[in-house]
Amino acid sequence: MNARLDLFANPVLRKFIKHFNAAARGAMDAGVPLSTLELLELRVSQINGCAVCVDMHSKDAAHHGETAVRINLVAVWREATVFTEEERAALALAEAGTRIADAAGGVPDDVWQNAAKYYTEEQLGALVAAIAGINTWNRINIITQQPAGDYVPGQWG
């Protein structure tokens, strides 16, 4: 598969990505564990069918010490016993925030309230930013048909 556009050669996308990535860095500094963010981004990418992001986040999660069992089971996290209640709350929020059209009303109050039990307001902001961010990346990569499979951990920062 060949990409429709080179994201980093296209002047409009290059500028957008630069500013978007700068804004997204704030989510990393709010105290949400990196493992939670990686699993969240992996799950959202699975839902959206973004091969590039599934490739990236599964490899980055492993590189940062995440186990193969947890990486493989994130697609079925509700039935898996390897996730904490905090991670489950973040994954539920990520799924609801990704499947907005399916929910016909957005993120349900019970999903939000459950996440708020485990995360501070600053951390909730980070989760919302991470969910919005990975959904944006998924759409950019899917629209432009970015190929997957050759990502090396840390390649893009």
Side-chain angles (χ1 to χ4, degrees):
M1 180 164 96
N2 293 318
R4 290 176 171 158
L5 288 173
D6 180 335
L7 302 182
F8 302 101
N10 181 286
V12 173
L13 285 172
R14 186 176 59 240
K15 184 176 180 179
F16 175 82
I17 289 167
K18 176 185 172 187
H19 293 291
F20 183 72
N21 283 345
R25 282 192 195 93
M28 303 298 290
D29 300 328
V32 176
L34 179 60
S35 60
T36 301
L37 293 173
E38 287 289 355
L39 293 171
L40 177 153
E41 291 175 332
L42 175 56
R43 182 64 191 124
V44 169
S45 300
Q46 291 170 337
I47 292 167
N48 288 328
C50 182
V52 172
C53 292
V54 168
D55 184 33
M56 176 181 174
H57 292 292
S58 61
K59 289 176 180 175
D60 280 348
H63 181 75
H64 291 118
E66 192 56 73
T67 67
V69 170
R70 285 168 45 92
I71 292 169
N72 291 330
L73 288 177
V74 75
V76 292
W77 63 269
R78 284 182 176 81
E79 293 81 21
T81 60
V82 297
F83 301 102
T84 67
E85 291 305 313
E86 292 87 348
E87 290 167 334
R88 290 174 179 285
L91 289 166
L93 183 62
E95 285 193 5
T98 298
R99 295 181 167 163
I100 292 172
D102 299 342
V107 175
D109 288 340
D110 63 321
V111 171
W112 182 263
Q113 290 163 354
N114 190 45
K117 286 189 335 192
Y118 300 105
Y119 297 100
T120 66
E121 194 163 310
E122 183 178 3
Q123 291 171 326
L124 287 168
L127 290 172
V128 169
I131 294 163
I134 193 61
N135 272 287
T136 299
W137 269 114
N138 290 168
R139 281 147 180 77
I140 290 170
N141 288 323
I142 291 167
I143 292 166
T144 61
Q145 293 186 341
Q146 297 301 307
D150 59 355
Y151 176 78
V152 177
Q155 173 179 333
W156 293 318

